[in-house]
Amino acid sequence: MEKYKRIFVIVLDSLGIGEMPDAARFGDHDVDTFGHICDIVGTLNIPNLKKLGLLNLHPTKEMEEERHPIAYYTRLKETSNGKDTMTGHWEMMGLKIEKPFLTFTDTGFPPELIHELEERCGKKVIGNKCASGTQILDELGEEEIKNGSMIVYTSADSVMQICGNEETFDLKNLYRCCEIARELTMKNEWKVGRVIARPYVGKKKGEFVRTSNRRDYALKPFSRTALNALKDGGFDVISVGKINDIFCGEGITKAYHSESSVHGMQQTVDVCKEDFHGLCFTNLVDFDTLWGHRRNPVGYAKEIEKFDVGLGNLLEVLKEDDLLIITADHGNDPTYTGTDHTREYTPFIAYSKSMKENGRLEDQDTFAVIGATIADNFGVTMPEGTIGTSLLSQLK
C-alpha cells in the first residue's frame, strides 16, 4: 500500500555540504559549498530550510540550529566514480557509474573531431579549450559574430559546449550544430556526457549575456532506472528543468523547461496544484551555472534565499499524502580554486505533513537511496543491476 500518492524530488544543483572522504582523489581539499558560502556572508535568510533541519545537518558559525526541525535529514555519499551532473542524477535513480565520462580539459577536442564538426556544420570552430562560459564570450564573442564562426569549448566536466549568438547564428541552426556534435561524439574515443547549446545575446565584449534557451544533448542512461520502472508501472513522472535532458527523456511522461531556478520552483508549485500520481523531479541549475562555476559565493547565497521563498510557497500547497525530498547532485564550492565541481556529501531532507517523527538519520553510502525509496513507495521493482536501499520505513 502506498504511503505517499506523490513524491517531489528537488535537486539544488551543486549544493554540497562538505568534502567526502575520497575528495583528494578528485583534486579537492577542504571543500564545502554550503559551509564556505555561510563563512563569507555570515547569515542567510532561510527560515524554511532551517525548520526542515538544514542547519542541524550542517551547523554554521553564525546561524542557530532549529530546536524542533520538522523533517528527517542526513548526508549522502556518492558511490559512483565522478562528480558531474549526469553521474549524480543517474546514481539517484539507481545507476552506479564505474568509468568516468571522457573529459578534454587539458587538450581541447581532437583535431579530427573539430575538422569533422566544421565540415558538417559549415562553420569554422574557434576556442576549443577549457574555459568559463562568460570569459570565452568576452574573449571570442565579437570574432564569432564578425566572421560567422562557432565557439566550442569544454570544462572539467565531460561536456562539449557550443555558443551561438541568437541574432547572428540563429537558434535553430545552433541546435542543428549541437545535434551534429552529439552524433559525432557518440564514438567511443570522443564520447562526452553532454553536448550543450549555449545561446547568448549582445553585440560586444562586456554586454554578452547567456539566455535561457540552453539545451542539453545528453547520453541516454546505459540501463533502465527508477524512472523507467515508474513509467512502466503507469505512474506519472514529471520533470522540471534539465531533468528531461539529463535522462534523454527516458522514463519521463511530461517535461517542463525552466527559464531560471526561481521559475523552476514556481513550476514545481504549479505542478503540486495539479492532480497527478507519481513523481515530480526538479533540477534547479542556477546555483551551479550562475554562481558555483563563476566562483561567486554572494550570488550563490542570494540564490539559496530565493529558493527558500519558493520552498515556502511549495510547503503551503503540499498535501498530507505528499513527500518532499530536497537534495543535490554534487558540490561546486564557490570559494575553491578553478571552476570545477567539487566532490562533496549532499543533503537528503525528507518532509511530509503526515510525518509524526523527525530528526537525523544515519549517513548513507549512495545517492541511490532516493530512487529506491521512490520505487518502494509506489510498489515497483527497481530494474536489474541498479543499486540503492529504500529509506521509506524510516520516514515515520
Side-chain angles (χ1 to χ4, degrees):
M1 183 175 178
E2 290 176 17
K3 194 170 186 178
Y4 305 104
K5 179 183 177 184
R6 308 186 303 180
I7 296 179
F8 295 81
V9 175
I10 300 177
V11 181
L12 309 185
D13 199 306
S14 83
L15 190 65
I17 54 171
E19 72 174 19
M20 280 179 46
D22 65 353
R25 186 166 64 87
F26 292 83
D28 299 328
H29 175 70
D30 191 29
V31 290
D32 183 352
T33 301
F34 181 69
H36 289 159
I37 289 169
C38 293
D39 289 343
I40 295 291
V41 303
T43 60
L44 291 169
N45 183 21
I46 50 171
N48 296 299
L49 282 168
K50 180 180 178 182
K51 71 182 181 182
L52 291 177
L54 178 60
L55 298 180
N56 300 65
L57 180 61
H58 191 302
T60 70
K61 296 176 182 177
E62 298 188 32
M63 289 187 287
E64 293 184 0
E65 298 178 18
E66 177 65 34
R67 291 186 179 181
H68 304 289
I70 62 174
Y72 287 95
Y73 46 90
T74 188
R75 300 187 304 177
L76 306 182
K77 286 182 183 178
E78 186 167 18
T79 192
S80 293
N81 190 15
K83 55 177 181 177
D84 61 88
T85 297
M86 286 173 58
T87 300
H89 284 78
W90 287 11
E91 183 172 319
M92 288 180 210
M93 294 299 118
L95 300 185
K96 181 178 180 180
I97 312 303
E98 301 282 3
K99 183 180 179 181
F101 297 109
L102 290 180
T103 59
F104 296 90
T105 309
D106 297 328
T107 61
F109 297 102
E112 298 83 2
L113 170 55
I114 294 299
H115 175 73
E116 195 162 346
L117 186 62
E118 289 177 330
E119 289 289 311
R120 294 276 302 274
C121 294
K123 284 183 172 289
K124 176 178 172 55
V125 167
I126 56 177
N128 189 25
K129 61 182 179 180
C130 179
S132 155
T134 51
Q135 290 174 344
I136 204 160
L137 287 182
D138 279 342
E139 178 186 348
L140 297 175
E142 292 180 1
E143 180 181 346
E144 183 200 70
I145 293 170
K146 179 181 178 181
N147 299 329
S149 309
M150 181 168 68
I151 300 172
V152 175
Y153 69 104
T154 188
S155 69
D157 247 0
S158 179
V159 294
M160 172 184 278
Q161 309 201 57
I162 302 179
C163 300
N165 188 288
E166 291 196 4
E167 297 175 357
T168 60
F169 198 120
D170 180 64
L171 199 56
K172 288 184 179 178
N173 194 30
L174 174 62
Y175 293 157
R176 179 187 70 87
C177 292
C178 288
E179 289 167 2
I180 292 169
R182 178 70 280 177
E183 179 188 338
L184 295 176
T185 56
M186 291 304 293
K187 292 184 178 181
N188 286 331
E189 63 269 29
W190 298 341
K191 191 172 287 186
V192 294
R194 285 178 294 160
V195 173
I196 304 177
R198 289 288 196 180
Y200 67 98
V201 293
K203 291 181 170 60
K204 62 181 180 180
K205 180 179 179 180
E207 296 181 356
F208 296 127
V209 178
R210 296 196 296 196
T211 75
S212 62
N213 291 317
R214 161 182 171 160
R215 186 170 292 179
D216 291 42
Y217 300 81
L219 293 174
K220 284 189 176 182
F222 59 80
S223 185
R224 289 164 48 80
T225 72
L227 302 184
N228 298 105
L230 289 172
K231 182 178 179 180
D232 291 350
F235 296 97
D236 297 308
V237 183
I238 302 170
S239 76
V240 177
K242 65 177 186 177
I243 296 295
N244 190 61
D245 291 332
I246 293 168
F247 288 89
C248 272
E250 289 290 307
I252 307 295
T253 61
K254 183 185 289 186
Y256 293 99
H257 170 75
S258 302
E259 296 179 358
S260 67
S261 289
V262 170
H263 182 222
M265 272 307 291
Q266 183 56 56
Q267 289 172 306
T268 305
V269 171
D270 291 341
V271 170
C272 189
K273 294 176 182 177
E274 299 174 2
D275 183 23
F276 74 94
H277 187 193
L279 172 67
C280 175
F281 196 1
T282 298
N283 174 280
L284 304 178
V285 73
D286 287 353
F287 301 96
D288 190 49
T289 58
L290 295 185
W291 315 117
H293 286 300
R294 299 183 188 182
R295 295 304 186 243
N296 185 336
V298 175
Y300 205 130
K302 291 179 180 178
E303 195 70 49
I304 296 172
E305 292 180 333
K306 290 177 185 177
F307 165 72
D308 196 86
V309 174
L311 175 59
N313 296 333
L314 179 61
L315 292 174
E316 287 183 3
V317 297
L318 283 177
K319 297 179 180 179
E320 288 288 324
D321 56 355
D322 290 338
L323 173 66
L324 169 64
I325 296 173
I326 298 173
T327 191
D329 53 343
H330 49 71
N332 198 346
D333 188 338
T335 69
Y336 200 53
T337 57
T339 61
D340 191 12
H341 297 150
T342 43
R343 178 81 166 179
E344 298 184 46
Y345 288 99
T346 62
F348 175 91
I349 298 173
Y351 168 73
S352 174
K353 290 182 177 179
S354 64
M355 285 177 175
K356 294 178 174 57
E357 298 181 25
N358 52 66
R360 179 74 184 252
L361 301 175
E362 289 185 5
D363 286 357
Q364 301 294 312
D365 287 335
T366 173
F367 297 176
V369 296
I370 295 173
T373 299
I374 295 167
D376 186 14
N377 179 76
F378 292 111
V380 299
T381 302
M382 286 290 287
E384 184 178 352
T386 52
I387 62 172
T389 303
S390 174
L391 299 179
L392 190 67
S393 64
Q394 299 184 50
L395 307 180
K396 301 175 182 179

